Amino acid sequence: MTTQQLIQQIKTKKSFLCIGLDVDLTKIPKHLLELEDPIFEFNKAIIDATHDLCVSYKPNIAFYEAYGLKGWQSLEKTINYINENYPDIFTIADAKRGDIGNTSTMYAKAFLEDLNFDSVTVAPYMGKDSVEPFLAFENKHTILLALTSNEGAFDFQTKNIEGQELYKTVIKTSKGWKNSQNLMYVVGATKAEYFTEIRKILPDSFLLVPGVGAQGGSLQDVCKFGLNEDIGLLINSSRAIIYASSDEDFAQKARVEALKMQQEMEMILKF
């Protein structure tokens, strides 16, 4: 998917909502556990109920790897279902990969080629040759961890190194990598006050923003400092939407929560 196609979808749906599909078998409705593939059936119901309200789905790969081969098969069925039934949706493999060149190439092939995700999250700690293999795929996007929403982000990311915070060094350096036009960046909603500085460095890039909702981030604050002319934001919400109910009406309740966020986004886009 091209960036322009993503922008068009945002304008059409009046939404920049990304729904995280982080499936925990201990949290999904009990009646689904009786089915052959409860993870996929849960995802399918959530997707069918919310696809018109969001522009992206983001499975966190750890929640599938934890269940071994069956979990990976559920992931494959999920991404295939989205691509076949809702091809306009932007898909994110939240894998946080990053390794030396040959290994990164294989990670990239796994997610961007074999599973056919539109994008994958990547850790930049090992530098250029660990990220550029992901950037080589045409019309695919690499979402770089820049400033994350967790408490431990302050251990390294905001440390002042030679007069500049480390996350700024990472962002500025990444702009010089080959095919850097395919980069997006993860910036946590709980760090809303940093968006002004980040937009000075990245005025045009898309930012994937976790942390709104359960983690306490404010949609209004993120939009105040982070929106650009093309919107430029994908706001992720996972638990607040997919676990809105643990009963048989879970998909309908998920839709209610997704609709609340979409309507709030639509109001923001009017101004």
Side-chain angles (χ1 to χ4, degrees):
M1 180 180 292
T2 66
T3 303
Q4 202 55 46
Q5 287 172 321
L6 174 59
I7 293 169
Q8 185 56 52
Q9 187 191 178
I10 289 171
K11 291 179 178 178
T12 299
K13 293 182 174 178
K14 298 180 176 60
S15 171
F16 42 100
L17 173 62
C18 170
I19 296 178
L21 300 174
D22 305 351
V23 187
D24 184 340
L25 288 179
T26 67
K27 293 181 180 179
I28 70 174
K30 295 294 186 286
H31 73 279
L32 294 177
L33 300 177
E34 301 170 4
L35 303 177
E36 181 181 352
D37 190 342
I39 293 175
F40 172 67
E41 296 298 339
F42 178 81
N43 282 343
K44 180 178 179 294
I46 295 290
I47 292 163
D48 287 341
T50 62
H51 66 91
D52 58 319
L53 302 174
C54 69
V55 297
S56 179
Y57 289 110
K58 182 179 71 66
N60 186 319
I61 305 305
F63 285 81
Y64 300 85
E65 291 178 323
Y67 298 109
L69 179 59
K70 287 185 177 180
W72 197 261
Q73 290 171 337
S74 299
L75 175 66
E76 185 175 31
K77 288 165 68 175
T78 297
I79 184 63
N80 287 344
Y81 186 77
I82 297 170
N83 287 338
E84 290 169 8
N85 294 277
Y86 309 109
D88 60 326
I89 293 283
F90 183 75
T91 55
I92 302 170
D94 190 4
K96 301 179 180 71
R97 298 300 200 258
D99 208 327
I100 59 172
N102 288 341
T103 309
S104 278
T105 296
M106 294 305 174
Y107 280 139
K109 282 180 174 291
F111 293 109
L112 302 178
E113 195 171 270
D114 181 46
L115 290 173
N116 198 24
F117 277 91
D118 292 309
S119 64
V120 59
T121 58
V122 171
Y125 193 80
M126 292 181 70
K128 177 173 71 173
D129 57 330
S130 71
V131 178
E132 285 187 339
F134 294 91
L135 294 171
F137 287 74
E138 188 176 359
N139 292 332
K140 301 289 186 175
H141 303 269
T142 301
I143 308 179
L144 209 65
L145 300 179
L147 186 60
T148 54
S149 57
N150 61 307
E151 184 180 347
F154 296 106
D155 289 347
F156 302 115
Q157 296 169 28
T158 59
K159 293 297 183 185
N160 193 297
I161 310 294
E162 297 182 351
Q164 181 172 255
E165 295 98 325
L166 181 58
Y167 78 89
K168 289 183 181 178
T169 300
V170 169
I171 293 172
K172 289 178 181 178
T173 301
S174 72
K175 293 175 68 177
W177 294 342
K178 188 176 181 180
N179 296 319
S180 61
Q181 71 275 7
N182 295 334
L183 280 171
M184 297 179 177
Y185 298 83
V186 174
V187 181
T190 53
K191 309 287 191 298
E193 66 273 18
Y194 291 90
F195 276 81
T196 300
E197 290 298 305
I198 289 172
R199 276 301 183 209
K200 289 177 182 178
I201 309 169
L202 299 170
D204 302 318
S205 298
F206 262 87
L207 308 179
L208 172 62
V209 185
V212 168
Q215 294 185 50
S218 164
L219 176 62
Q220 294 288 340
D221 287 347
V222 169
C223 291
K224 178 180 179 181
F225 301 111
L227 282 174
N228 64 18
E229 290 185 4
D230 292 321
I231 312 307
L233 297 175
L234 291 173
I235 303 294
N236 181 76
S237 180
S238 302
R239 287 170 285 174
I241 291 177
I242 67 173
Y243 296 132
S245 171
S246 59
D247 298 322
E248 293 193 8
D249 65 348
F250 71 97
Q252 290 86 350
K253 289 294 178 62
R255 179 176 177 81
V256 170
E257 294 304 314
L259 181 60
K260 288 178 185 176
M261 290 199 70
Q262 183 275 323
Q263 289 176 333
E264 188 174 356
M265 289 174 177
E266 184 173 357
M267 289 300 296
I268 290 169
L269 293 178
K270 286 182 178 179
F271 298 97

